[in-house]
Amino acid sequence: MISDRSEVTKMILSAKVLKGIKWKDVAEQLGKSKEWTTAACLGQMTFDKAQAETVGGIFGLSDEAVAWLQIVPYKGSLPTAVPTDPLIYRWYEVVNVYGSTIKELIHEEFGDGIMSAIDFSMDIQREPDPKGDRVHVVLSGKFLPYKTY
Amino acid sequence: MISDRSEVTKMILSAKVLKGIKWKDVAEQLGKSKEWTTAACLGQMTFDKAQAETVGGIFGLSDEAVAWLQIVPYKGSLPTAVPTDPLIYRWYEVVNVYGSTIKELIHEEFGDGIMSAIDFSMDIQREPDPKGDRVHVVLSGKFLPYKTY
Amino acid sequence: MISDRSEVTKMILSAKVLKGIKWKDVAEQLGKSKEWTTAACLGQMTFDKAQAETVGGIFGLSDEAVAWLQIVPYKGSLPTAVPTDPLIYRWYEVVNVYGSTIKELIHEEFGDGIMSAIDFSMDIQREPDPKGDRVHVVLSGKFLPYKTY
Amino acid sequence: MISDRSEVTKMILSAKVLKGIKWKDVAEQLGKSKEWTTAACLGQMTFDKAQAETVGGIFGLSDEAVAWLQIVPYKGSLPTAVPTDPLIYRWYEVVNVYGSTIKELIHEEFGDGIMSAIDFSMDIQREPDPKGDRVHVVLSGKFLPYKTY
Amino acid sequence: MISDRSEVTKMILSAKVLKGIKWKDVAEQLGKSKEWTTAACLGQMTFDKAQAETVGGIFGLSDEAVAWLQIVPYKGSLPTAVPTDPLIYRWYEVVNVYGSTIKELIHEEFGDGIMSAIDFSMDIQREPDPKGDRVHVVLSGKFLPYKTY
Amino acid sequence: MISDRSEVTKMILSAKVLKGIKWKDVAEQLGKSKEWTTAACLGQMTFDKAQAETVGGIFGLSDEAVAWLQIVPYKGSLPTAVPTDPLIYRWYEVVNVYGSTIKELIHEEFGDGIMSAIDFSMDIQREPDPKGDRVHVVLSGKFLPYKTY
Amino acid sequence: MISDRSEVTKMILSAKVLKGIKWKDVAEQLGKSKEWTTAACLGQMTFDKAQAETVGGIFGLSDEAVAWLQIVPYKGSLPTAVPTDPLIYRWYEVVNVYGSTIKELIHEEFGDGIMSAIDFSMDIQREPDPKGDRVHVVLSGKFLPYKTY
Amino acid sequence: MISDRSEVTKMILSAKVLKGIKWKDVAEQLGKSKEWTTAACLGQMTFDKAQAETVGGIFGLSDEAVAWLQIVPYKGSLPTAVPTDPLIYRWYEVVNVYGSTIKELIHEEFGDGIMSAIDFSMDIQREPDPKGDRVHVVLSGKFLPYKTY
Amino acid sequence: MISDRSEVTKMILSAKVLKGIKWKDVAEQLGKSKEWTTAACLGQMTFDKAQAETVGGIFGLSDEAVAWLQIVPYKGSLPTAVPTDPLIYRWYEVVNVYGSTIKELIHEEFGDGIMSAIDFSMDIQREPDPKGDRVHVVLSGKFLPYKTY
Amino acid sequence: MISDRSEVTKMILSAKVLKGIKWKDVAEQLGKSKEWTTAACLGQMTFDKAQAETVGGIFGLSDEAVAWLQIVPYKGSLPTAVPTDPLIYRWYEVVNVYGSTIKELIHEEFGDGIMSAIDFSMDIQREPDPKGDRVHVVLSGKFLPYKTY
């Protein structure tokens, strides 16, 4: 009996290690970006029926698990409000150190509103650099203005 | 008597509104990116002597305030661990929802390590879009591998 | 020297009590809803120049304060993460008790996505009732679907 | 052995996904609103005997589980004080950003008191809109005045 | 310039100590219970015009302060979520230790609902006892049932 | 193997629902108040041998469970520091809103000290009222003065 | 204008350093233990009129400050729930590491109840020891049994 | 498979209740104080081989459990930072209310440094008193001075 | 089915106690420092294939567990933000008490930037001392300067 | 009127920037290490009379401030439990990631006990390295064993 999407995420993670599956190969089979695919496999996005079955096939999931992949999950992938993992913490630090900067510059360019985290995409690439390769990330979110009424 | 960089940040913010200064104009006068310039003016980065004097001139700061601009600040620009401002929260949400995804994909590409938040740059641009303009952000951070010893 | 929008909010609150001003009269003079007007006066929304001057006239604000009304504020109107005021707590309780219900029903109707808190409006009215008048609130937020990419 | 209503909620959620049940169909069979029905199925409200048996039939629950549906639950449907799920967070954000506004306007209209979260109902509908459909929510709560004594 | 009811509370507390005023005497002059009167003087309840002027006379408050006494306050009288003061902590302990008991017994007697903290009164008396006098407290709150809809 | 009193509390709650037992009937069989009896069954008080055996008989507990009922428990009946359940929260709200009032009035009457939460009793009754029945609660705690030494 | 006992504590601390006063000398002049005297001067206990005047004389306090010394304070002498000061933290650590031990041994000896922190005294002495002098602390608190009713 | 000392603590607690063992009898068999013995059995101290075997014999533990008794545990015996159990809370309250007093008096006597919680012992005794027996606790910790270097 | 590295850490800890394995012996077999080896065994670092197999052999792990040792873990080895264990707390205390000192001295020597916790090594040795042996720790982290751009 | 050591710390920090003083020069004049000197100037250690007067001369402090430098401070130099400043956070991260490793290795070498943070010294040096200079830190703390009694 599965009563929570997170149980399916655990099954996927377990199968991934046992079978040595790579996220980018899953993405290729789905015909989606590796970013969206990974987020969905980690229980943050919702698959449609065909996608869920493809994923179920790759990871060897039961029909019940495949049904859960089509259910909108309770989102949030981190165990604590301030993340302890160094890689994820660096992103939290960027928000903490540059947060007011990001706010000022978006408002200077667009006025009052936000950058959507829903109508949003992310792209992560290796950027070769002789002084040491870099992680190059592009975030694109629709600007949503506050409206008067 | 100034005993904390945050007091200088308040002076800058006050002068900015009174005089209608724009961050991008400050950046131009400094010959630096608007992202770094804004972060530095908001008390997150350290100016050298020449930069501090330029900034002091733009915002009409005292010599004591200009001296403080050259002192490494205690960083962190947000008043709470989980930000309440909607624009900044959306970034926190990205870390929360996509955090495990970012971790998985960087590790799949680079192995164990982090994306530096120190050897790091950010670029924020308007991306015109007929369905509504987007905020286009590029983050670039050096990959730092964990080493065995 | 004003260095934070919240200082202007305090000036408005102080003048409001001293002069016995009502929010709905401020709204009428601005030609906006009482909900948006109050939120803006309480430092959560941004006024344009004409609006700021009208508000400045009503509350007797200085030019510097009027300039700050046109600056996008750091939002968040509550002093603690779980509000202590009984009226506001009841709203937090609604989110706590009905949160999973709201999530389920919006997803059942719309699929994965959110109800925008930016492209959003609120209307609060007295609903006469022989057993005791009721507060009747209408919330309207655009549905924003998560997209695959 | 069931010792907590939340165990029954898990059974309901599990059966719902396996059988593809919809909340509005459950509501129809109970002759209640979809909002109250969903909240009750999610462990926030108490069923009477007949209702519990109907729900037990729909989801295939044991007699013990049906008995628990008639027990007043320990309420609260969210795992953290500040919700991490984006859809639910938007509601928390509304309370955070508009909380002081809601307080001011209810007090301006009614005086000191609260909007009840107990003598309360909610209605969630799709509001078609050419610029993108909206979520239209009506909240109605009895006004309860503070009394002097 | 007063911008917050808590500033008036401080004035009242200061005057009370300087002049040696007793809460029960204030209550008598207002013709209200000592419990409601004290809560109101401590910034948790709202005075009407006549009451505010009486209170202003007793404590020697300015007209501006008297105006603020008539404004509905942001309630909550404790500086931390878990109170540090031993007397107040004992009450928090009662809620913590007996909370589930209170819940069970009210539900056993009344069914699902709450005991109102708004339509509520409190009476605190000395109960003489040869083994040591006791604090005798009567709380009376209207029962508000959850309704189905 | 039972290693914690809370496991016995779960057994009692499970049996109570299955058998439809009422707290007041348990109290009657024990010859104790329903308040003390419920608190003890919920793992907040300690039974003596005879009481534990009576309770074991009523709920059908094993000898091991009966032994645990005689062990002083680790007290505290709520899962979070600020309770999420609306009924219990109302009590927390009373402490929050009236806490400073309670403190002032007890000190005005008794001087410095506390109202004991140990030498303490509680009585909860239905108070019929034509405008809606009320919950009538009497709390009685010994006053314990701070001593100089 | 003084509106809080903590302001008087600051005056006492300031005078103590300026005049080089020792707590044990204050205690001697009051004819009380150094433990109670220090706690009272630090705003945790209440002085009677004669004591307050003696203390006012020693530290050169105004009449208003002397009046506040006779008001029961809001107790709690530490700025954070988990103390950061190493000396005070060691005491917190004792509670954390030995807390369950203390609980077990008091219950084994006395049954269910608590050691009072109100009917309580403390004595701190230097205990000479060739391996390094020790802090020798005696705590004495009345045992208060839980009662059945 | 045991992977944490806390599992052994649970076994000991379970056996203690089943067999009706007393801490002071365990201490006697070990030839150690009841305070140290109880702390060690509760997973806060480390046994040597002979002690672990004696304890294993008393509580009927497996060889694996006996091996774990000799492993230095992760210390900390309380489930929350602010304890909810009334007996343990009173100790936390002592630290909170008297913390600054303890700090002042130790510094007045010894200068800067701490009272060790490692080179530390505790003794808990019943102190007969006609007004009600008292808990008499002696704490002895080596004074460790801060050193300049 | 293993779905989290922490499950493998538990297996290692369990085997270590059962078999009486020492970390320095594991390190020797791996040809790595005892510091890195222990951190890796405790789930904070990633093994390569050969290392994982060696570790698997030493602790008798399954193939699935050995596969997990090669997966980058979610790092963070402590159960609470402020550690309760006295040994680990002392390190937290060093950061708390000396944090601003460390910051000032590194900035005085190097300018703005950080000491890397990734390009980092640690060495822990016994330092014999007639007054009591000392723990001698060497930390070495690359200095990473903030860059302007 | 100074009532807290932290006010003196602010005076020192203000004078340091205005006069361009370096910590190592202060240390030299005191004849102490730069680590201890900085910690003491930042309000974490206590100066003796001669040292306080030297420091007072360097920073131009008043006699009252110099008196406060000789008072044992309330220690803790960071504004939040989890530090936001990246340099200091890296140290917190070391405790978080390597905490269990440090604990295991110290116990493996020394048995149960702690590394003192009181009988403790720290030395921070620049370690030249062709791949980028490193921060080389030596920590030395006396091992304090837990004792049985």
Side-chain angles (χ1 to χ4, degrees), chain F residues 21 51 53 61 75 82 85 98 101 136 149:
Chain F
I21 297 166
Q51 292 165 341
E53 281 164 0
L61 304 175
K75 298 178 173 74
V82 175
D85 183 81
Y98 291 94
T101 295
H136 182 269
Y149 54 93

Side-chain angles (χ1 to χ4, degrees), chain A residues 1-9 68 74, chain D residues 10 13-14:
Chain A
M1 193 188 88
I2 300 173
S3 64
D4 198 295
R5 173 73 178 272
S6 66
E7 299 170 45
V8 185
T9 302
W68 271 94
Y74 191 94
Chain D
K10 285 182 182 170
L13 286 169
S14 179

Side-chain angles (χ1 to χ4, degrees), chain F residues 45-88:
Chain F
M45 301 288 154
T46 313
F47 290 106
D48 65 23
K49 192 156 188 302
Q51 292 165 341
E53 281 164 0
T54 303
V55 167
I58 294 171
F59 293 103
L61 304 175
S62 67
D63 283 359
E64 192 183 4
V66 167
W68 271 94
L69 289 177
Q70 305 168 51
I71 299 297
V72 183
Y74 191 94
K75 298 178 173 74
S77 71
L78 304 180
T80 51
V82 175
T84 61
D85 183 81
L87 185 140
I88 299 177

Side-chain angles (χ1 to χ4, degrees), chain C residues 23 77 81 92 96 104 135 140-141, chain D residues 77 81 92 96 104 134-135 141:
Chain C
W23 296 119
S77 72
Y92 178 76
N96 211 315
E104 288 286 332
V135 186
S140 170
Chain D
S77 70
Y92 179 77
N96 211 314
E104 288 285 333
R134 300 177 75 82
V135 185

Side-chain angles (χ1 to χ4, degrees), chain F residues 18-135:
Chain F
L18 263 179
K19 306 189 173 183
I21 297 166
K22 287 206 169 309
W23 297 118
K24 68 179 171 191
D25 296 336
V26 181
E28 223 159 86
Q29 291 190 49
L30 279 174
K32 292 287 166 190
S33 69
K34 66 183 184 306
E35 287 76 13
W36 183 84
T37 302
T38 307
C41 288
L42 293 174
Q44 304 299 315
M45 301 288 154
T46 313
F47 290 106
D48 65 23
K49 192 156 188 302
Q51 292 165 341
E53 281 164 0
T54 303
V55 167
I58 294 171
F59 293 103
L61 304 175
S62 67
D63 283 359
E64 192 183 4
V66 167
W68 271 94
L69 289 177
Q70 305 168 51
I71 299 297
V72 183
Y74 191 94
K75 298 178 173 74
S77 71
L78 304 180
T80 51
V82 175
T84 61
D85 183 81
L87 185 140
I88 299 177
Y89 182 81
R90 295 307 179 276
W91 280 69
Y92 179 77
E93 183 176 304
V94 165
V95 176
N96 211 315
V97 171
Y98 291 94
S100 53
T101 295
I102 292 166
K103 182 173 170 65
E104 288 285 332
L105 291 176
I106 292 178
H107 292 329
E108 186 163 303
E109 178 63 33
F110 291 90
D112 198 354
I114 63 154
M115 169 182 168
S116 181
I118 309 295
D119 188 337
F120 173 85
S121 67
M122 181 191 303
D123 182 65
I124 300 176
Q125 299 292 344
R126 177 188 287 264
E127 180 187 354
D129 188 307
K131 282 177 288 186
D133 286 3
R134 301 178 74 82
V135 186

Side-chain angles (χ1 to χ4, degrees), chain E residues 82-86 89-90 93 96-97, chain H residues 82-86 89-90 93 96-97:
Chain E
V82 175
T84 61
D85 183 82
Y89 182 81
R90 294 309 178 276
E93 184 176 302
N96 211 315
V97 172
Chain H
V82 176
T84 62
D85 183 81
Y89 183 81
R90 294 307 179 276
E93 184 176 303
N96 212 315
V97 171

